[in-house]
């Protein structure tokens, strides 16, 4: 069976294009073929570019920035962008791991609290994460500390 049609909420996504060179290329494509809408241009670009990106991510090919993309950036600047991209990726991964740890510890504390209160912990609910909310005594503390962090 062919993968056609739209599933879930995948038919409407939004993108932000900050690079003026990319906008210039989109304008050039629309001038070359005025029948293409913006969505058609982006979908065609994805159709041609995503297979190459997948090959790159699997390590099957090595993509080098084209002169058009790297124009205006020194080798050092390109390395810095790559480095900071990696740092941001790792920070997001660390954040995800901390969130998972917080959720698991909260679940254990809440389930133990239910047991201490003489209530029965329901296994199905426990497996579904029903006890994973941050314990009440930590919510205010966490909120205060997050506000302090945002001041910097």
């Amino acid at each position: 069976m062919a993968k056609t049609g739209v599933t879930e909420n995948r038919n409407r996504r939004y993108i932000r294009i900050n690079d003026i060179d990319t906008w210039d290329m989109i304008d050039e494509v629309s001038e070359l073929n005025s029948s293409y809408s913006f969505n058609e241009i982006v979908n065609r670009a994805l159709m041609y570019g995503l297979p190459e990106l997948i090959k790159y991510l699997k390590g099957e090919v090595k993509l080098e920035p084209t002169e058009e993309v790297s124009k205006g950036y020194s080798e050092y600047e390109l390395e810095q962008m790559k480095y900071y991209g990696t740092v941001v990726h790792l920070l997001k991964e660390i954040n995800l791991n901390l969130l998972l740890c917080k959720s698991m510890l909260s679940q254990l504390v809440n389930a133990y609290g239910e047991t201490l209160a003489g209530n029965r912990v329901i296994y199905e609910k426990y497996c579904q994460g029903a006890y994973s909310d941050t314990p009440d005594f930590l919510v205010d503390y966490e909120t205060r500390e997050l506000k302090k962090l945002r001041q910097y």
Side-chain angles (χ1 to χ4, degrees):
M1 185 168 156
K3 291 183 183 181
T4 58
V6 177
T7 59
E8 301 167 13
N9 192 18
R10 302 181 87 181
N11 62 333
R12 183 172 298 268
R13 300 280 172 100
Y14 300 93
I15 62 171
R16 181 176 295 124
I17 301 171
N18 295 325
D19 181 33
I20 192 69
D21 292 332
T22 302
W23 277 114
D24 290 342
M25 286 188 279
I26 290 171
D27 291 340
E28 184 178 352
V29 170
S30 64
E31 287 170 10
L32 292 170
N33 189 339
S34 61
S35 67
Y36 280 0
S37 68
F38 174 76
N39 284 337
E40 288 173 310
I41 293 170
V42 172
N43 279 310
R44 294 229 178 204
L46 290 171
M47 183 176 66
Y48 292 115
L50 281 177
E52 288 302 309
L53 178 60
I54 290 169
K55 288 178 188 173
Y56 167 73
L57 293 173
K58 288 181 176 180
E60 296 171 4
V61 296
K62 183 173 179 176
L63 295 178
E64 294 294 329
T66 63
E67 280 185 39
E68 196 67 33
V69 172
S70 62
K71 183 172 51 175
Y73 295 109
S74 67
E75 240 180 85
Y76 174 77
E77 289 171 320
L78 290 172
E79 282 298 315
Q80 288 295 305
M81 287 190 278
K82 183 179 175 185
Y83 171 78
Y84 287 114
T86 302
V87 168
V88 168
H89 173 77
L90 291 173
L91 286 171
K92 287 180 180 180
E93 190 174 320
I94 289 168
N95 190 41
L96 175 63
N97 287 329
L98 287 172
L99 180 67
L100 291 172
C101 288
K102 175 185 170 187
S103 179
M104 289 186 293
L105 285 171
S106 295
Q107 178 140 326
L108 290 171
V109 167
N110 289 330
Y112 187 66
E114 286 291 313
T115 304
L116 288 175
N119 298 326
R120 192 170 147 254
V121 174
I122 300 168
Y123 178 75
E124 290 80 22
K125 284 186 172 183
Y126 184 82
C127 289
Q128 294 170 353
Y131 299 98
S132 64
D133 292 339
T134 303
D136 293 337
F137 68 93
L138 289 177
V139 171
D140 291 335
Y141 174 77
E142 182 181 32
T143 304
R144 273 194 319 274
E145 294 303 312
L146 285 172
K147 284 181 181 177
K148 284 181 190 176
L149 286 174
R150 289 187 183 120
Q151 290 176 357
Y152 296 104

